[in-house]
Amino acid sequence: MLFLAIPALLWAVPWWLLVYTATGGPLLWIGSSVFLLGYLCLPATMILGHGRRQSDAAAVVGDTLLGVGWVLFTWSVFGAIARAALILAGVDDPIRSRVVAIAVLAISAALIGWGTVEARRVPRIRNVTVPIAGLGAGFDGLRLLVITDTHYGPLNRLRWSERMVEAVNAQAADIVCHAGDLADGPVERRRAQVDPLGKIDAELGRYYITGNHEYYGDAPGWIEYMTGLGWQPLRNEHRVLERGGDRLVIAGIDDPTGATLAGHGPDLTAALSGAEPKLPVVLLAHQPVQVADAVKAGVALQISGHTHGGQIWPFHYLVRLEQPVVAGLSRHGEATRLYTSRGTGFWGPPLRVFAPSEITVLTLRPQV
């Protein structure tokens, strides 16, 4: 019932504002037919695209309809508020309803166009300095580059992937990390888009953890494939890095969704087992909510993704109900910092509205 009720609400509000109140005669019937078609196509294409059949063409159509529907719904709600204000101001119909409808359509069209460009562009480089307690002089200025939530999927983004890798290598980072949600679908269907990641260079290593979406597809397959590309998966384990006589621990844990698969699931205790307690720890954990355990374990820095920064405004308000942080650098407890990336790619709707993608360079400095 929810699967049908949510699309109904998504399309009913803009239909009422843009068609029912603002048109009449043939336009009313034509507009109503278009919105009814959108309502029927959304659940149908989502099932065909993301269900058992895994039709990429259907997934692209369904995801696009979802994004367009969300933008129209959001701005139709604002349009309804504006319409009420015009009623109070004494503005009569049909001028009132038509002015509001035209404004909502214009804003929605502009945001959908702009959001499409934002989603498909090579992400901007975001530089962030992070103070780390106990960081040795040998690691002062370490450049740790983060990509996450690439979500290689139904829309073929091979050329985007190649250009993104060029942008990553141009930063000459010491370490490169992928914080999960690599791809949507099995290896045999997405490997071509992922292959360019094998060309990323990093002197001190390339590290990868699973996100929740790997477990919707083929997590063991992707772990094996990334290993073959020269990345080091961190599955509830750590590595000790040495430079200039100092040491730093980099650890990674599985996404909580992995608990549904035998032998998977997060285990921070296992990840830090054997690590010298006094050494600063950088932890890769896909979801920001995992920072609660990181605080208890004394982790210096947790790096996460998952939120996409909301991806399409104002969805970040809903994300915030589940996660402690939507984007950026934050502090938790006395000594733990969390960096939450807005993501490098996009999931589902090929739109990004007021939530630009990013390639993040974290520069580590000793905490004074």
Side-chain angles (χ1 to χ4, degrees):
M1 290 179 65
L2 281 175
F3 190 71
L4 294 176
I6 292 174
L9 179 64
L10 204 63
W11 291 103
V13 173
W15 168 81
W16 173 79
L17 188 82
L18 304 176
V19 178
Y20 182 75
T21 66
T23 66
L27 283 179
L28 174 61
W29 291 105
I30 293 171
S32 297
S33 298
V34 169
F35 274 87
L36 179 61
L37 182 62
Y39 165 65
L40 295 175
C41 284
L42 178 55
T45 51
M46 293 296 280
I47 290 172
L48 289 173
H50 299 286
R52 289 184 178 181
R53 296 189 62 179
Q54 294 283 303
S55 166
D56 284 353
V60 170
V61 172
D63 292 343
T64 302
L65 283 173
L66 181 61
V68 169
W70 174 254
V71 173
L72 285 173
F73 171 81
T74 298
W75 290 95
S76 291
V77 170
F78 287 119
I81 296 172
R83 188 173 184 274
L86 290 176
I87 291 174
L88 294 176
V91 179
D92 295 326
D93 267 338
I95 294 177
R96 178 181 66 230
S97 295
R98 289 176 181 174
V99 166
V100 170
I102 290 171
V104 169
L105 280 173
I107 293 172
S108 297
L111 289 177
I112 289 168
W114 175 56
T116 299
V117 172
E118 278 291 311
R120 301 193 184 202
R121 64 167 292 155
V122 174
R124 299 169 180 85
I125 305 298
R126 188 175 189 189
N127 291 282
V128 180
T129 299
V130 184
I132 301 292
L135 187 71
F139 288 99
D140 186 7
L142 179 83
R143 288 164 55 81
L144 190 157
L145 187 145
V146 181
I147 58 176
T148 183
D149 299 278
T150 44
H151 285 283
Y152 294 111
L155 192 63
N156 192 329
R157 288 180 288 144
L158 174 59
R159 179 56 187 148
W160 176 89
S161 186
E162 293 170 341
R163 293 169 60 207
M164 184 269 290
V165 168
E166 291 172 1
V168 168
N169 283 336
Q171 298 305 305
D174 301 300
I175 299 172
V176 176
C177 301
H178 193 300
D181 278 5
L182 172 67
D184 293 305
V187 172
E188 59 269 19
R189 298 184 70 172
R190 311 296 181 218
R191 61 189 299 170
Q193 298 180 62
V194 176
D195 278 347
L197 298 187
K199 299 178 182 178
I200 288 178
D201 298 319
E203 180 183 353
L204 296 181
R206 299 171 294 172
Y207 301 95
Y208 161 70
I209 60 168
T210 56
N212 54 306
H213 278 251
E214 277 88 346
Y215 293 102
Y216 303 150
D218 181 17
W222 283 118
I223 292 168
E224 180 180 356
Y225 196 73
M226 287 294 279
T227 302
L229 290 179
W231 288 69
Q232 299 182 53
L234 293 175
R235 295 203 51 246
N236 301 324
E237 55 189 323
H238 72 271
R239 301 286 186 273
V240 178
L241 307 181
E242 297 190 18
R243 191 168 77 170
D246 291 303
R247 291 181 294 167
L248 173 71
V249 174
I250 182 164
I253 54 177
D254 291 349
D255 185 79
T257 312
T260 60
L261 186 65
H264 291 252
D267 189 338
L268 185 53
T269 301
L272 299 180
S273 177
E276 188 176 331
K278 294 183 179 180
L279 295 180
V281 176
V282 174
L283 174 69
L284 303 181
H286 181 64
Q287 299 193 37
V289 72
Q290 294 173 278
V291 75
D293 292 331
V295 169
K296 295 176 183 177
V299 167
L301 171 65
Q302 175 176 312
I303 297 171
S304 299
H306 187 64
T307 68
H308 299 206
Q311 187 165 318
I312 306 176
W313 186 90
F315 197 77
H316 67 287
Y317 290 114
L318 297 179
V319 175
R320 187 63 179 80
L321 296 176
E322 182 190 26
Q323 300 292 333
V325 177
V326 175
L329 185 66
S330 56
R331 186 166 183 167
H332 302 261
E334 295 183 2
T336 300
R337 284 178 168 81
L338 165 66
Y339 186 79
T340 306
S341 169
R342 290 188 299 248
T344 311
F346 61 84
W347 174 84
L351 304 172
R352 273 189 173 270
V353 178
F354 304 137
S357 56
E358 64 180 79
I359 293 169
T360 317
V361 179
L362 302 178
T363 301
L364 306 189
R365 295 292 185 186
Q367 180 173 300
V368 179

